[in-house]
Amino acid sequence: MRLSASCVALLALVSGTVPAASALDMAHNVHHAKKSQPHVTDTHHAVTAKSATHTTHTAATHTATTHAASHSATGKAAPHTAVKAGTHTAAHHSSVQKASLSRRHHGTYERFTASSFVTGQGEGDIIAGEDPTIRAAAIDALGNMNGTAVVINPANGRILAMVNQKLALSPGAEPCSTIKLSVGLAALSEGLVTRDTPVNLGGFRMNLTEALAHSNNLYFEEMGRELGFERVRHYATQFGLGELAGYNIAGEQLGTYPDEELPANQGGVGRMCSFGQGVSMTPLQLGALVAAIANGGTLYYLQHPTTPEEVGSFEPHVKRTLDIARFIPDMQDGMAGAVEYGTARSLRVNFHELPVFGKTGTCSDKGTRFGWFASFSDSPMGSLVTVFFLEGGRPVFGPRAAELTGLFYRSLWDRNYFVDKPAIPVQAMNVTPVRPIASTGAANVSSTGAGVNQ
């Protein structure tokens, strides 16, 4: 019996043999693999390349337009999965039947119970030690969105503004695709890839720059499998995940990193590396990591002065120095790409004047969607690190957080914040690193802050 093409497609949908494997923050066309091929194909690295056969997969996407910027995304196949607002997945694997995925043809949607909006921003915050111009710009940018904005000076770890401090200091949430910053640095540190190394993802290849810019899940799942859980966890904890980011910040709670890999039926280490399933990260932890990328490798304890006197007597406290300086240009290419043409391009709807490097993240858990955007700017007057973290329902996603970051910079620019400001050099402190861990080839790390939650 001969079947028409439409019948074959319908059978594929009903049988549930087609997984959706693209990133939440991007639109991505995935090609079909006909045979096993090496994954990491660059010949300049002594890396053992795995062979694997990938199941044929497709994902149909619908583009959502928000606040004068359009962003396409495809649903991520996972037992714990979010689909970005306006995105509808047309086919997925039978192993993800428990996931709350939107279906265009069946009329069912992921149900969100959390509110995306608030009536006041920053009520009850302690603000006497903050920069009033930066705080005002952050409040203006957030508008009525339910979220927090943290702005950090990467040259010394001072928090210049922290809006909605209760949320900023909470135990955090799943990092979504922002976890890819940690995984990318780990893969670079281990010599698995450079920014240009093509990685075989089953019918197509992608390098680190493209993977960061477009937030490709398959790429970072492959990096996670190549690294293995122990090395992934080692780097994550060295970069500050799983420990308090602040130095004596009252009310700060801990975001945790698991001691064990996710079970295989939940995606294993690959899923932990594509959107951070099983990980809890705080806005302060993410801000400290991005500040270390911005300043060349110094991981500061973040400090939040609460009085003018504390501002006047402020002294930086270094947690440790990371040997990542030579890898930062590789990360910057992808983070710049995210803003210029990738998942964070909504930032450019409102602000074009300065270079901005960043990473979006979108996922959901138990009826709440999370939208992350972490970034740093580059200006003659110095750099700022920002973390916008949103909670709620369908209006919340990573590109929206990037859009708000653009509004934040626009507000600062219009307030002449970048005019007549003395330049603050941003560079890693000169601390002698210790011997790297021999079994992992890990980055050199030197600890200079004793006894404070390392």
Side-chain angles (χ1 to χ4, degrees), residues 218-418:
L218 295 176
Y219 180 97
F220 287 95
E221 287 183 8
E222 179 59 28
M223 290 298 100
R225 289 188 290 267
E226 293 281 352
L227 288 163
F229 173 74
E230 291 303 326
R231 285 193 290 181
V232 167
R233 185 181 188 280
H234 168 76
Y235 282 102
T237 55
Q238 290 304 312
F239 299 152
L241 277 66
E243 61 187 20
L244 292 177
Y247 184 87
N248 292 336
I249 297 180
E252 181 189 6
Q253 300 181 62
L254 182 65
T256 58
Y257 198 93
D259 293 326
E260 298 180 354
E261 180 180 354
L262 280 179
N265 62 3
Q266 295 181 29
V269 68
R271 198 57 49 81
M272 298 177 77
C273 291
S274 60
F275 67 99
Q277 184 170 331
V279 178
S280 175
M281 184 176 67
T282 70
L284 267 60
Q285 288 172 333
L286 181 57
L289 171 57
V290 174
I293 296 173
N295 67 33
T298 301
L299 187 65
Y300 283 102
Y301 285 110
L302 301 186
Q303 297 182 74
H304 182 235
T306 58
T307 66
E309 292 74 22
E310 289 182 5
V311 173
S313 61
F314 180 89
E315 292 184 2
H317 291 274
V318 178
K319 181 180 289 188
R320 51 185 167 267
T321 299
L322 309 173
D323 185 20
I324 61 172
R326 64 189 181 276
F327 307 124
I328 290 174
D330 296 76
M331 296 293 292
Q332 278 185 320
D333 270 9
M335 295 172 74
V339 173
E340 298 304 324
Y341 58 84
T343 60
R345 60 189 181 276
S346 55
L347 184 149
R348 289 307 191 199
V349 171
N350 299 301
F351 187 71
H352 292 272
E353 284 75 7
L354 296 174
V356 179
F357 311 85
K359 183 71 195 76
T360 56
T362 308
C363 57
S364 65
D365 183 25
K366 299 176 182 177
T368 300
R369 175 178 280 168
F370 308 120
W372 295 89
F373 183 64
S375 68
F376 65 95
S377 61
D378 184 16
S379 83
M381 313 307 172
S383 179
L384 292 176
V385 166
T386 64
V387 176
F388 276 71
F389 171 59
L390 308 177
E391 290 186 339
R394 296 193 181 282
V396 168
F397 49 100
R400 173 63 64 85
E403 181 183 347
L404 300 186
T405 303
L407 288 173
F408 166 75
Y409 279 112
R410 166 55 53 199
S411 181
L412 285 183
W413 187 270
D414 292 345
R415 296 167 194 259
N416 296 319
Y417 182 82
F418 299 103

Side-chain angles (χ1 to χ4, degrees), residues 426-440:
V426 179
Q427 59 184 6
M429 296 183 66
N430 184 18
V431 180
T432 303
V434 299
R435 180 185 296 273
I437 297 177
S439 61
T440 64

Side-chain angles (χ1 to χ4, degrees), residues 151-237:
V151 185
I152 301 163
N153 182 348
N156 56 23
R158 179 189 165 192
I159 297 175
L160 301 171
M162 180 165 50
V163 180
N164 293 331
Q165 292 166 13
K166 183 177 179 179
L167 178 56
L169 299 175
S170 71
E174 203 164 84
C176 314
S177 287
T178 63
I179 196 68
K180 292 167 181 170
L181 295 175
S182 171
V183 177
L185 283 170
L188 290 166
S189 298
E190 289 290 317
L192 289 180
V193 294
T194 68
R195 76 186 89 177
D196 300 319
T197 305
V199 176
N200 188 337
L201 300 176
F204 72 100
R205 297 177 180 180
M206 179 172 284
N207 62 30
L208 177 62
T209 296
E210 296 167 331
L212 283 170
H214 296 295
S215 197
N216 185 271
N217 287 344
L218 295 176
Y219 180 97
F220 287 95
E221 287 183 8
E222 179 59 28
M223 290 298 100
R225 289 188 290 267
E226 293 281 352
L227 288 163
F229 173 74
E230 291 303 326
R231 285 193 290 181
V232 167
R233 185 181 188 280
H234 168 76
Y235 282 102
T237 55

